[in-house]
Amino acid sequence: MSSRAVHGRYGEVYIGEEMVAEISAFSINETADTAEATSMGDVAATYRLGVSRGDGSLTAFWDADGDGGQENLVVGECTTLKLYPAGRAGGDLGCDAGLSTPVEIVAKCWITGKTMNVSMGDIITADYTFVLEGPLVEQPYTP
């Protein structure tokens, strides 16, 4: 069986149809609340599902010109991110295997933080954090 692994270098992030430039990493976390429903006399714990929630982060090489989409990542504002783990074209699956099917993850979210990282000898980066407003939508990408 061949691996369906795709290298992270293909990842892309968009706001609307504008690519956010210089992204070097992103992550998304989803969780669901649970409430314990175990009764006296039960021999194992039982749970009931509550609401889901999520958050995430982006790391980008700082865009000094301010025209690469990062200017739209404003702390305290709600936006919709479109994340493509394997890019819009799909990621390379290896020798003679072709490209993966592109997947689009749509995340309506609040931008909750921005951190600038400046260090002598390194490229300046900006870290952005966000919290989801509603569910993630994961679907095949069709241009």
Side-chain angles (χ1 to χ4, degrees):
M1 173 181 246
S2 67
S3 172
R4 304 300 291 172
V6 176
H7 196 281
R9 72 183 177 96
Y10 296 100
E12 298 172 347
V13 176
Y14 285 74
I15 297 175
E17 290 303 309
E18 182 178 5
M19 181 188 277
V20 179
E22 307 296 334
I23 296 294
S24 62
F26 66 82
S27 66
I28 303 169
N29 309 300
E30 289 182 279
T31 60
D33 293 342
T34 56
E36 188 168 350
T38 308
S39 299
M40 294 175 103
D42 289 348
V43 295
T46 59
Y47 296 88
R48 298 298 178 264
L49 187 61
V51 298
S52 64
R53 63 188 74 240
D55 59 19
S57 64
L58 305 170
T59 299
F61 296 116
W62 180 57
D63 179 13
D65 291 335
D67 62 356
Q70 293 178 27
E71 71 278 5
N72 297 319
L73 298 169
V74 178
V75 174
E77 289 194 7
C78 189
T79 191
T80 299
L81 298 175
K82 295 179 181 178
L83 305 120
Y84 303 90
R88 283 186 166 184
D92 183 2
L93 292 173
C95 215
D96 301 321
L99 297 177
S100 66
T101 302
V103 172
E104 176 180 71
I105 301 170
V106 179
K108 183 175 181 185
C109 60
W110 290 94
I111 305 299
T112 56
K114 176 184 178 181
T115 303
M116 295 289 294
N117 304 295
V118 182
S119 177
M120 187 175 76
D122 289 331
I123 302 295
I124 298 171
T125 61
D127 295 327
Y128 300 90
T129 55
F130 58 89
V131 63
L132 296 179
E133 174 74 14
L136 283 177
V137 177
E138 188 171 333
Q139 59 201 14
Y141 171 66
T142 52

